[in-house]
């Protein structure tokens, strides 16, 4: 059994007024985030994408196993393959594989099987969940709370992209097995989501959606008196 090792953690404790201001500023910044499907082909340095991945990888994870793998794709030929495979799956989805209530829910978004942004965006980042680890001797090592951990990392990735001044879209074509084959990922990894990343196009538009107010997404327990 490995003995735990600890280090001091003494972050600066700002005045409560500053804490409140930071929280409100962060909310306001993230409230401008939108899922973008119209990208500019303008280049974005790879170093920026790497820093965004580093930020996402600060996410907490079960037993600190960090069971994720971000595959960064900038090669035009590979992006073309991903687009073709994604559109083939989505054509079946929109052509009858999806139930009617799902199609009805998607209608306000104006989406269909066409995904040109998968080629136009300068980068595609594909997030894989590591179902189990592999030890140096080839044996399997159990990972814990894999989907929860990878989901948190995905959310932090989206936030990091937005706060960096870029745009993205969490895209989950179903099924996604083609990503494992196209990107030659090992058996212990499973696709979780893919994210085109870049600047919004000059003529970009997004659905006119309204987010739920706080009262619909949070409750206090026990309820406040009075």
């Amino acid at each position: 059994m490995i003995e735990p090792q600890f280090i001091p953690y003494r972050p600066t404790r700002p005045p409560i007024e500053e804490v409140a201001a930071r929280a409100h500023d962060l909310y306001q910044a993230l409230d401008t985030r939108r899922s973008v499907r119209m990208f500019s082909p303008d280049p974005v340095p790879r170093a920026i994408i790497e820093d965004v991945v580093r930020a996402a990888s600060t996410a907490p994870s079960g037993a600190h196993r960090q069971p994720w793998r971000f595959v960064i794709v900038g090669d035009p030929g590979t992006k073309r393959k991903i687009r073709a495979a994604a559109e083939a799956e989505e054509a079946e989805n929109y052509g009858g594989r999806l139930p009617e209530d799902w199609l009805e829910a998607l209608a306000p978004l104006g989406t269909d099987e066409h995904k040109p942004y998968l080629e136009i965006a300068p980068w595609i980042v594909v997030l894989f969940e590591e179902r189990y680890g592999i030890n140096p001797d080839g044996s399997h090592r159990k990972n814990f709370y894999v989907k929860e951990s990878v989901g948190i990392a995905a959310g932090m990735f989206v936030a990091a992209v937005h706060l960096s001044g870029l745009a993205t879209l969490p895209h989950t074509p179903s099924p996604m097995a083609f990503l494992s084959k196209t990107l030659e990922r090992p058996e212990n990894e499973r696709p979780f989501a893919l994210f085109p990343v870049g600047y919004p196009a000059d003529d970009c538009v997004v659905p006119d959606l309204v987010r739920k107010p706080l009262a619909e997404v949070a409750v206090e327990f026990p309820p406040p008196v009075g």
Side-chain angles (χ1 to χ4, degrees), residues 218-225:
V219 296
E220 183 178 349
F221 187 86
V225 178

Side-chain angles (χ1 to χ4, degrees), residues 45-73:
R46 179 189 173 92
I48 294 175
I49 306 302
E50 291 175 345
D51 274 340
V52 168
V53 170
R54 287 188 181 100
S57 290
T58 66
S61 60
H64 193 56
R65 290 291 167 84
Q66 299 179 270
W68 49 70
R69 194 75 75 245
F70 291 86
V71 180
I72 302 171
V73 181

